[in-house]
Amino acid sequence: MISYALRRVLSAIPIALIAVTVCFFILRLAPGGPFDGERALPPNVMANLRAYYNLDQSLPMQYLIYVWRLLHGDLGPSMVIDGFRVSDLIRIGFPFTLTMAMSAFVVATAIGIVAGMIAAVNQNKWPDYVLVLVVMIGVVVPNFLSAALLQLVFGVYLKWLPAGGWVNGSLTHLVLPVTVLAWPHAARISRLMRGSMIEVLGTNYVRTARSKGLGERLVLARHAIKPALIPVVSYLGPGLSYLLTGSLVVEQVFGLPGIGKYFITAALNRDYGIVLGTTILYMFIILALNLLVDMLYAWLDPKVRYR
Amino acid sequence: MTDTVLSIEDLSVTFDLHQSEVHAVRELNFSLQAGETMAVVGESGSGKSQAFLSIMGLLAKNGRASGRAMLGDLNLVGMDKNRLDQVRGKDIAMIFQDPMTSLNPSLRLKTQLSEVLVKHQGFDKGKAIRHAVEMLERVGIPEPGKRANAYPHELSGGMRQRVMIAMALLCQPKILIADEPTTALDVTVQAQMLDLFKTLTEDFGTALVLITHDLGVVAGVADRMMVMYGGRCVEKGRTDELFYDPRHPYTLGLLHSTPHIAHRAARLDPIQGLPPSLEHLPKGCSFHPRCAFCFDRCLEERPPLAPVEGGREKACFYEGPMTYEAVA
Amino acid sequence: MAGITGKDAILTDYANKLEKLDAPKGRSLTQDAMRRLLRNKAAMVSIILVVLIVLAAIIGPYFVPWGYAEVDWTSIRKPPDLSKGHVFGTDQNGRDMLARVLQGTQMSLIVAGVATVVSVVIGVVYGAVAGYFGGKVDAVMMRFVDIMYALPYILFVIILVVIFGRNPVLLFVGIGCLEWLTMARIVRGQTLTLKEREFVEAARAGGAKPFTIILRHIVPNLTGPVVIYATLTVPEIIITESFLSYLGLGVQEPQTSLGTLISFGAPVAEVLPWMLLAPAGVLVTLLLCLTYIGDGLRDALDPKDR
């Protein structure tokens, strides 16, 4: 297990490096820049700016400088806001984004797994039908739309919950955003869980377990859940990265102070520094998540470890 | 050999399909004596597996069973699942055809073995595992203590079937049902496995039901056999008598299509035609379209299972000499 | 770079199933699959609805009395009113909502179509080349796909916005360039098995060039996966588009799209609910139907059932 983990970690390093390279060059080669404002800057100011951001160096040199700084944990400066660095943005916005994404992740994964199991055990009975409908809505309705509808119903008409905004430490302000974020994730998890659970319940080894007289509850708990979780686990990595990136939208819609707000503003202002730094940060997170999921996978399916 | 451990009365199994229903097993009757070995023989689709799955309460969701399956004074058919769980695995155990998929791939062998003892004998986990390891040794698994920690995929097919046997015998059940236990294995392993069955069931005094389509398997092992066709029993009796003097054309056909046993025939004669679809069983005797001895009565009337001399039973109207030479 | 609808998880499952089989047979749109699709009521209803929506989006604007940018000064912020011909009401500028929804649907469908075609073409070519040449070429090409999977989709889409600015068609060609990963993986797997088949060997023995073989013999056998992939990609792009437009990064005024309409409708939904409900209804219907069609096609073409 440990050597498997080590191999996985080592194989992730070149992927990360290549991904950084791809991001860097795509953004640098893009037309236009942060300094192409409405009004042209005086040449000497422009030259100073370019020197400050190393833009006067050759492209390979810029790349090497960037990677060197990255290795020291520096994701680079903003090119629009003076003295603001990606690390500042992370300090301000990331805890919030992470809290929201993680709470949505935990809630949605738990709900999704349980719901999928209930649907599978009651296949083609009413709990299954109700669930399939709720799932379908979750899969199909995009989050900005469900956000708008929920804001309208619970925030405006019923006035049960705040429709948006943020008051520090207020949980009620988080209910709607987390719901919006969690719903599609829970829906997909339960869909996967339902499918794999139905398949597992029909396998020979579950029949063996039943023939041993273990009782249905033990059969489910010990024999069915673990193998049924395998496809769910393989979705957790991509799922969490959907949640992290999806929270950008939800933050924007609900006016919440996470990374999303800054990122979208930065994109609109062509602040390449912020865009590049944030993208690379997310990429690292996604790679790390995939590694984590691989480990979980190896635990669930012992065969994987020997590959 | 007079103690009846299981007696089946009028057992029928029906599956509901979308618009129709299929009768997989019809009015099956037999009894199983303590310690004996009975073979149930038939082609695939003859209902032999479904009959015993229904006794174990393992039918697919759309299946239902009627009739009675008396284990002592308990009727297993239609029994409450909780009550049934106190019996299956303990008094009556089953081994399945495919050892590759019948063990849970994500659990260690010791877990899968010991849980039976924890459930039925109330052992604590440590004791249950010790017993499980002993049982693994008995079924001929080398280094049982080490293997108990393995996952199923680390074992060969033959080894896995040994584990299945060990698992089924942990509680020393009165009855062991083995559904095609050797079909998926190499021929060399098959023989070892049959020996193992014989020794262990004798040691534990367990009655063995051997479900198979392979008469070669039956020959050395079974005391009695029952031949099934189209969901019904067509002939039953002592194995040696059925082998040397088959009274049903289907039994004869099976014997002639099996190498080694068909020593009396000059060549192998596979039974003509295909097994019937259970949805469209022919009128009259369901075997008549494939039968070399069929006459007009067989087309209209279904022969009942009736006693012949020597405690045997058969379901056939034909009374003449039963050899292919007679027809050819 | 997994997309935003989780279709990759579904498709990967399907792809794995395809790869496990030795020879891909009957996986094109055979009569058998058609019959199964016809029996699937949800999918059939969905197909009819989608066809109706597409037709309405294309020819509808010619039958609506108002243009999508035309202002009716006599009815501003009015609820649906049949007598004036404003079936879905009007917006704050007195523009007919039906005309706008039709135009928005058209725009959403166009960009989705463009991006899907681009992604399918790239995916098929890339996957077929990797699978056909195999060996090191394959290893390097698929490694690149693995790396691309690690990139955050939405962030990359936004980078594209930064690059392509406000040209919606170019932008969605760009998005199509991000979407082909799963398609490439499916096609590669299929090609690996197809290239061992007799007809490909015969073509090779006959001296056909690799690209001729790929185009003539391999690509036509990929109908099944391509159709499923396309039906699942179209809704994904529609969502991406509407999400970008919702953030103000996509289609710009006076042109409109379903996402733009929803983003204008949402803030005023309390007083002018029809401005949100009309585009939202069309969007959800479209997405729901496309999902059902994708599911239906997958079941109909499921290699396990034959």
Side-chain angles (χ1 to χ4, degrees), chain A residues 166-194:
Chain A
W166 175 243
V167 177
N168 226 345
S170 155
L171 278 179
T172 51
H173 282 80
L174 273 180
V175 174
L176 284 184
V178 169
T179 309
V180 166
L181 199 54
W183 194 345
H185 182 71
R188 280 182 216 125
I189 295 264
S190 75
R191 204 174 168 182
L192 282 171
M193 188 68 189
R194 175 178 179 271

Side-chain angles (χ1 to χ4, degrees), chain A residues 20 24 28 54 60-72 74-77 86 272-278 280-281:
Chain A
V20 167
F24 180 86
R28 275 298 188 282
N54 300 317
M61 200 57 210
Q62 288 181 37
Y63 170 69
L64 288 178
I65 293 173
Y66 191 81
V67 173
W68 180 251
R69 287 190 180 161
L70 197 61
L71 289 175
H72 291 80
D74 180 6
L75 285 160
V86 177
Y272 289 171
I274 296 276
V275 171
L276 182 61
T278 318
I280 287 174
L281 171 73

Side-chain angles (χ1 to χ4, degrees), chain C residues 117-179:
Chain C
V117 168
V118 170
S119 73
V120 166
V121 169
I122 299 181
V124 168
V125 171
Y126 194 96
V129 168
Y132 186 83
F133 292 105
K136 275 205 184 110
V137 179
D138 180 40
V140 171
M141 287 177 85
M142 288 339 268
R143 201 77 198 137
F144 181 68
V145 169
D146 286 345
I147 293 167
M148 290 282 284
Y149 266 114
L151 302 178
Y153 176 77
I154 293 190
L155 303 202
F156 239 75
V157 167
I158 291 175
I159 289 179
L160 285 180
V161 173
V162 175
I163 297 173
F164 289 117
R166 296 294 150 84
N167 183 334
V169 174
L170 259 189
L171 173 60
F172 282 89
V173 169
I175 289 179
C177 294
L178 298 180
E179 280 278 346

Side-chain angles (χ1 to χ4, degrees), chain B residues 106-126:
Chain B
S106 59
L107 296 177
R108 292 178 198 277
L109 295 179
K110 63 176 180 191
T111 316
Q112 302 190 49
L113 288 159
S114 62
E115 63 185 358
V116 187
L117 291 166
V118 172
K119 158 88 189 183
H120 293 300
Q121 313 284 29
F123 287 6
D124 64 70
K125 225 170 169 188

Side-chain angles (χ1 to χ4, degrees), chain C residues 43-61:
Chain C
M44 287 320 289
V45 172
S46 301
I47 289 176
I48 295 169
L49 275 174
V50 168
V51 168
L52 286 180
I53 291 176
V54 171
L55 283 180
I58 297 169
I59 53 176

